[in-house]
Amino acid sequence: LARFGIERVLVSPLQRALETALLAFDGQDTPVTVCRHARELWWEDKQNEFSDLDDLTERLYRLPQGEAVMGLEEALCTHPDTPQTEEESVEALRAALGSVEAGTVAVVCHWGTINALSGFGPGNCDLVECTRCPESGRISQVRVHSAPRAPKTNNVRQGKKK
């Protein structure tokens, strides 16, 4: 990951994404911030529900640099301006990416989120390198990098749109 020059990591508040981000960026001095809007779509599915804050905090502290994760409590709280639909959440993520003060940002998230942002359906553990148009916020895929020794899975959600 060092070759990408990543300056900031935004990560979904779902446990599996947080674990992936902390393990992937272990040993790197890259700030990791939890971003509610990077969560997976299909909010009604049990596997996409938020974990309890205390339980998740305890789990994070057992992972490399878990104590340095920023924004967890904020990401799990609901506010009056919290997006109410998956589509609003994706647009909020698009806006959040535009406001990050970093040249290269990694977003550790999920298939549905990546697909909604870029139109691309990645495989499990793929790193999708993208560019972002500053004017429109449009995300375009540049290249896909497969993780060495990563498990290969079928995209069971492929084509499913809400």
Side-chain angles (χ1 to χ4, degrees):
L1 291 174
R3 73 177 190 228
F4 293 102
I6 296 167
E7 298 170 37
R8 163 135 350 258
V9 178
L10 298 181
V11 61
S12 161
L14 299 182
Q15 179 180 323
R16 61 190 185 268
L18 285 159
E19 290 172 349
T20 298
L22 292 175
L23 293 171
F25 287 91
D26 183 21
Q28 297 184 41
D29 191 26
T30 309
V32 176
T33 303
V34 182
C35 178
R36 180 184 187 96
H37 314 306
R39 70 185 289 192
E40 178 59 290
L41 305 184
W42 304 286
W43 294 354
E44 73 281 356
D45 291 355
K46 179 103 174 117
Q47 68 270 20
N48 297 329
E49 293 177 1
F50 294 136
S51 297
D52 173 75
L53 175 61
D54 292 335
D55 181 51
L56 193 52
T57 300
E58 182 181 318
R59 289 174 184 270
L60 288 182
Y61 278 37
R62 288 188 245 142
L63 292 167
Q65 301 176 17
E67 69 286 344
V69 170
M70 298 176 285
L72 180 61
E73 186 171 354
E74 177 72 18
L76 295 179
C77 292
T78 303
H79 304 283
D81 61 343
T82 299
Q84 299 301 303
T85 67
E86 295 167 354
E87 292 80 11
E88 289 174 0
S89 186
V90 170
E91 288 310 309
L93 176 57
R94 194 180 307 280
L97 286 169
S99 68
V100 173
E101 294 182 15
T104 304
V105 179
V107 181
V108 181
C109 58
H110 313 275
W111 186 93
T113 311
I114 296 167
N115 183 260
L117 279 175
S118 70
F120 179 69
N124 193 37
C125 298
D126 282 348
L127 185 148
V128 182
E129 185 178 351
C130 299
T131 59
R132 181 186 168 279
C133 176
E135 292 83 28
S136 68
R138 180 179 162 82
I139 306 288
S140 300
Q141 174 193 335
V142 174
R143 192 170 316 133
V144 177
H145 306 271
S146 295
R149 298 174 305 280
K152 299 297 176 197
T153 59
N154 293 329
N155 295 328
V156 296
R157 295 280 189 175
Q158 196 162 9
K160 180 180 177 182
K161 287 279 195 179
K162 285 198 155 195

